[in-house]
Structure formats: C-alpha cells, structure tokens
Amino acid sequence: MSKKDNSAVTQILAYLNEKNRPYSAQDVFTNLQKQCGLGKTAVVKAMEQLAQEGKIREKVYGKQKIYFADQSQFADVSDAELKKMDSRIAELNAEAQSVSQSCRLLDTELKELNSSFTTAEVKIQIQELQAECSEYKERLNKTQSATNHVTPEEREKVYKEREIYVKEWRKRKRLVSDMIGSILEGYPKSKKQFLEEAGIETDEDHKVTIPNI
C-alpha cells in the first residue's frame, strides 16, 4: 500500500472515531475533500479496507453502504452521564440561540448605522432647515405687516352670505328633483335618458357636492 493510501486510511479512521456517527463514502469525501485533499476513489477504497480489517463497522441499506466507528472501543456511558450530556447540550443550544439573537440585533443596529446620516450630511440638512425657517419668518412678517387684513365683521358677513347661498342651492336642487320625479312617473324612458334629452346637467356630472353649512 502506498503512503498516500496509508494517509487516507489514517485520516478517515481518525475522522470517523472523532465524529462517532454514521457516514456514507460520499459524505466522508465531501467533508474531507478540502481539508485533506482526498479523491473519492481513495476514500471509497480506504473505507472498504477499514471495514474489512474490522477497524470500522459497515451496514448495507439497499444499494448504499453506511460506515461508522467501532463502538467497542468506547467506554460504556451510564444513564447519569447521558443525562449530564443532555443537560449540557440543552445549555449549549440555549447559548447558541442567545448568541444568534445578539448577532441579529447587532446586524440590525449596523444596518441602521449604515443608513443614518453622516456628520457632513447632518450639517447640510441643518443649513437647509435654517434657510427654510428664514423664508417662513419672512413670509410671516409680511403677513403681519399687511394692512389689508379681513376684519371679524367682514368674515362674519361672508359666512352668513355663504349660508344663505347654500340653503338656496339645496332648496332649488330639491325642487328640481321633485319636478323630475313627477315627470318620470309618465315618462317611458330612464332618468338618464330624460336628463340627456332635456339637456340637464347635474351636480354629479360636474363632481360637485353641496358643502356643509
């Protein structure tokens, strides 16, 4: 056997004993390819040799062979030790979840920092806001210094006139609606056809609604 073959056997035996779980030849090839640079043919040959020598165990499931470490080399584990291992596994899982959550929070914080403004950008925004405030102040001063303000009396007069016009609008609309309703009682066509033939345009045609008083 060449040194390369011996190296493959040694590496694969050490790997299976370390992991102590079942693998196919393809699994071992995939896992050790980058680490040890083993070819698939060498992996298959080495695992078959190890199984023949009794250094590992082999199980056949249909067309697939599964290999795993010889369990006789490992000391028996008591129930108490198994429970201790299970407890440690649970602790490690909880720790992994906590670390994963911390990573997600840090990732979110990093994204927020990357999307926030730089000092230079903040200074530009402050300058723009100051200019905008100055513009509003100037407009306010012009408004306050104007001499053509509407007096309370004039405003009240406009509101009252508006109320009169709105009431008259509603009154006339109701009268026209009643008249059209009376005509339609003996009219052979639809209301829409009547309005078109009579050349009557409604508020709805112009998308106009009567305002509230």
Side-chain angles (χ1 to χ4, degrees), residues 120-151:
E121 290 172 334
V122 170
K123 288 181 179 179
I124 292 174
Q125 280 212 334
I126 291 174
Q127 291 175 354
E128 291 176 349
L129 289 172
Q130 288 175 338
E132 191 174 346
C133 286
S134 298
E135 181 182 347
Y136 284 132
K137 285 180 181 179
E138 184 179 351
R139 289 170 60 182
L140 178 61
N141 291 333
K142 287 181 179 179
T143 302
Q144 290 175 339
S145 61
T147 57
N148 59 344
H149 294 300
V150 177
T151 64

Side-chain angles (χ1 to χ4, degrees), residues 29 38 49 54 58 75 99 119 121 139 151 156 168 173:
F29 165 69
L38 299 177
Q49 178 185 333
E58 175 188 271
V99 171
T119 302
E121 290 172 334
R139 289 170 60 182
T151 64
E156 183 64 24
E168 186 65 22
K173 183 170 183 175

